[in-house]
Amino acid sequence: MTTPFQHEPGSATGPVPPPQCPAHGMGIGPGGLRRLYGPEAEADPAGLYAKLRAEHGTVAPVLLHEDVPAWLVLGHSENLHMTRTPSQFSRDSRRWRGLQDGSVSPDHPLAPLFTWQPVCSFAEGATHERLRGAVTDSMARIDTRGVRRHINRYSNRLVNDFCGEGRAELVGQFAERLPMMVMCAIIGMPEEYNDRLVQAARDMTRGSETAVASNAYVVGALDQLVRRRREAPAEDFATWLVEHPAALTDKEVSEHLRVVLIVAYETTTNLIANVLRMVLTDPRFRARLSGGHMTVPEAVEQTLWDEPPFTSVLGRWAVGDTELGGQQIKAGDALIVGIAPANTDPAVRPDLTVSMEGNRAHMAFSSGPHECPGQDIGRAIADVGVDALLMRLPDLELAVSEDKLSWAGNFMSRHLEELPAGFAPTPQQEVDAEPLPAVARTRAHADWEVSSPAAPRRGPEAAPAAPRTAEPYATPGEGLAIPAQRSGPAKIWHTVVRWWNGH
């Protein structure tokens, strides 16, 4: 195949199925290409990836919203090559031939995702180094232990809202709220936290009719924050960006705050929901977790393989004519980082039932110079949040049959709509006895990751373990109270104590 894109968006050239053909209702568009949007793609993305892999190999031609052509990269090694070779595959969306010739409209449903902005995720070379340096330097100033205490406090506040009811909807009442509460505290806008901000953050990545308006709402709130921090600095991420030696403009600061806020929020919300779903629906997963054979951070890492928060990301454009996965890529073509299909590539995971504990070779946070710089914040929110929830409600059970669970999303992410759970009602706990610590780091750097050694594994199914460091969430005497436990299986509490002490 030389080039599959024999049509322009919206045209009818190329082999189009006849009106009576079943393909008309099954995600087939102009040129016979499969759509990466619509009912079929959203209902069964894994099935769609399998069809594309069978038909085209590791790189497949697809159609985005409004039948805009792009390449979906399915192979693990091909994704690594693309993300690690900016000289061939740039993050600068202005290279997109569709934007240059007008075939991709400025008000396209995915415009909030691909419209060029003065941020490091769209930059290359020296500009990328300057902008990303400001972000990573500012993140290095975050007090990891203090933020973990924020996460624990907010988690317990949220649990207090429903612990007496005996029932909760864990997506809307926990997974969607915790990340935004934490990120608003880190960025420096806790007063802006509200339901509208939560919904706008979710909506703007879905390619919906209201995505552009949702994006404008978030940007407006961040613009106001930047103006406040120019006038009244504080110990928060927004101030650190404003004052960084890279001398970012107000627009650059605002846009970087937007990227950090939205990406951290969306990924962490999906990650928490996916971990909780696995705990509630997979008996083996829960047994290993409660039996001490798996820690919460290891459960999070396994979930990043099986249910990554982002399934794919639009964001590479060919610098020149090249070849990838046997396909001829033309200069200006758009490419999509296929995170979920890369994680299930038969070349790296021939058996999807084999545990991937200890292996961080997944593509959940991309790779290369644009790998997510805030991934450890997301891991921390999921680790501490899920642990706090399970400590408070150890008898948590799914309140509906598993086949009643439903998902929604688009080509970028697939998220649970609801996760109803039941448990024995329990009293609220005091969580506001102490003031929350500042997010600024005031002592030597502490690693974000918290994990205890996994139980020894033998046999060919054992995945290679990546180096890791261990650190408890908090040590006795630092004022972080261990939530009191009501009666329940003794082994759960003993497991928690052992894990807390690093054993």
Side-chain angles (χ1 to χ4, degrees):
M1 174 182 292
T2 55
T3 176
F5 303 135
Q6 304 297 330
H7 74 286
E8 294 298 325
S11 73
T13 59
V16 179
Q20 294 79 18
C21 178
H24 263 294
M26 299 179 62
I28 304 296
L33 302 183
R34 294 190 181 275
R35 292 186 170 107
L36 205 58
Y37 69 97
E40 182 187 24
E42 294 169 7
D44 184 18
L48 176 60
Y49 302 147
K51 292 175 183 177
L52 290 169
R53 202 186 305 271
E55 294 167 354
H56 302 284
T58 58
V59 178
V62 295
L63 297 173
L64 296 174
H65 297 68
E66 298 183 357
D67 288 341
V68 171
W71 297 96
L72 174 62
V73 183
L74 302 159
H76 189 273
S77 63
E78 287 78 10
N79 272 289
L80 287 179
H81 175 75
M82 176 177 64
T83 55
R84 294 177 178 179
T85 316
S87 60
Q88 289 182 297
F89 304 101
S90 173
R91 282 288 288 131
D92 190 338
S93 62
R94 294 172 296 185
R95 294 180 178 273
W96 196 354
R97 191 171 58 256
L99 288 175
Q100 295 171 357
D101 63 20
S103 58
V104 179
S105 63
D107 59 351
H108 188 277
L110 300 180
L113 305 178
F114 65 70
T115 300
W116 185 90
Q117 295 135 14
V119 293
C120 60
S121 56
F122 283 96
E124 303 289 0
T127 301
H128 174 257
E129 292 179 5
R130 179 180 75 90
L131 297 175
R132 187 178 174 98
V135 173
T136 55
D137 289 349
S138 298
M139 285 184 174
R141 298 180 64 175
I142 297 173
D143 176 14
T144 58
R145 191 179 298 274
V147 169
R148 283 185 174 275
R149 294 175 67 183
H150 273 272
I151 300 167
N152 186 76
R153 187 72 59 85
Y154 290 148
S155 298
N156 280 290
R157 285 183 185 174
L158 290 172
V159 174
N160 275 351
D161 290 341
F162 54 76
C163 64
E165 302 297 324
R167 292 179 65 90
E169 195 288 285
L170 296 178
V171 174
Q173 292 182 269
F174 192 80
E176 287 189 342
R177 297 183 178 276
L178 178 61
M180 185 60 75
M181 295 172 77
V182 176
M183 291 310 301
C184 282
I186 291 175
I187 287 176
M189 48 186 286
E191 62 273 18
E192 276 87 356
Y193 170 77
N194 56 37
D195 288 343
R196 185 178 179 188
L197 189 63
V198 170
Q199 295 307 316
R202 298 232 76 179
D203 182 57
M204 60 185 288
T205 64
R206 297 179 182 178
S208 68
E209 294 180 355
T210 56
V212 174
S214 294
N215 179 65
Y217 175 78
V218 173
V219 170
L222 294 172
D223 285 344
Q224 292 179 11
L225 173 64
V226 174
R227 288 193 292 269
R228 290 203 308 269
R229 290 299 177 256
R230 288 287 185 193
E231 299 173 357
E235 288 297 320
D236 54 42
F237 190 78
T239 299
W240 301 332
L241 282 181
V242 167
E243 297 179 343
H244 193 274
L248 273 62
T249 66
D250 283 4
K251 182 65 174 176
E252 289 174 332
V253 173
S254 177
E255 290 295 345
H256 280 91
L257 291 174
R258 170 183 171 274
V259 170
V260 170
L261 177 67
I262 299 306
V263 173
Y265 170 74
E266 177 73 10
T267 57
T268 309
T269 292
N270 291 342
L271 180 57
I272 292 173
N274 290 338
V275 172
L276 290 174
R277 182 190 65 82
M278 292 181 72
V279 169
L280 296 181
T281 62
D282 189 331
R284 296 170 301 174
F285 196 85
R286 184 161 192 168
R288 297 195 66 209
L289 187 62
S290 62
H293 300 291
M294 174 187 286
T295 64
V296 173
E298 287 172 335
V300 168
E301 214 63 39
Q302 180 68 42
T303 305
L304 288 170
W305 274 102
D306 297 335
E307 292 280 352
F310 279 153
T311 53
S312 58
V313 176
L314 173 64
R316 295 297 187 281
W317 288 271
V319 175
D321 293 353
T322 188
E323 181 180 348
L324 182 66
Q327 301 283 16
Q328 299 301 313
I329 311 297
K330 299 297 184 182
D333 279 358
L335 297 98
I336 302 165
V337 181
I339 295 172
N343 282 1
T344 57
D345 186 348
V348 295
R349 290 186 72 187
D351 184 354
L352 297 180
T353 64
V354 172
S355 172
M356 300 300 286
E357 289 176 37
N359 190 326
R360 284 194 171 188
H362 55 72
M363 291 289 299
F365 298 107
S366 190
S367 185
H370 290 279
E371 184 174 4
C372 177
Q375 58 186 273
D376 286 334
I377 296 177
R379 281 189 174 97
I381 297 173
D383 292 349
V384 181
V386 170
D387 179 66
L389 177 66
L390 296 180
M391 287 179 70
R392 290 282 300 275
L393 307 172
D395 60 345
L396 202 65
E397 298 289 347
L398 191 65
V400 299
S401 60
E402 186 177 353
D403 60 5
K404 298 297 184 182
L405 299 179
S406 60
W407 283 259
N410 56 28
F411 83 97
M412 277 193 64
S413 64
R414 179 175 180 261
H415 54 269
L416 274 173
E417 293 186 300
E418 293 184 344
L419 187 62
F423 48 87
T426 184
Q428 294 185 354
Q429 293 184 3
E430 177 63 51
V431 295
D432 293 319
E434 302 174 22
L436 284 169
V439 299
R441 180 164 59 87
T442 58
R443 57 182 178 273
H445 175 71
D447 289 335
W448 278 102
E449 185 188 3
V450 175
S451 62
S452 55
R457 295 191 296 272
R458 296 180 176 85
E461 74 279 3
R468 61 170 91 228
T469 57
E471 176 195 1
Y473 285 152
T475 54
E478 288 195 331
L480 177 58
I482 301 175
Q485 297 296 299
R486 52 195 168 85
S487 59
K491 67 177 183 178
I492 295 178
W493 176 240
H494 291 315
T495 297
V496 170
V497 172
R498 289 203 320 274
W499 168 67
W500 190 275
N501 292 322
H503 300 303

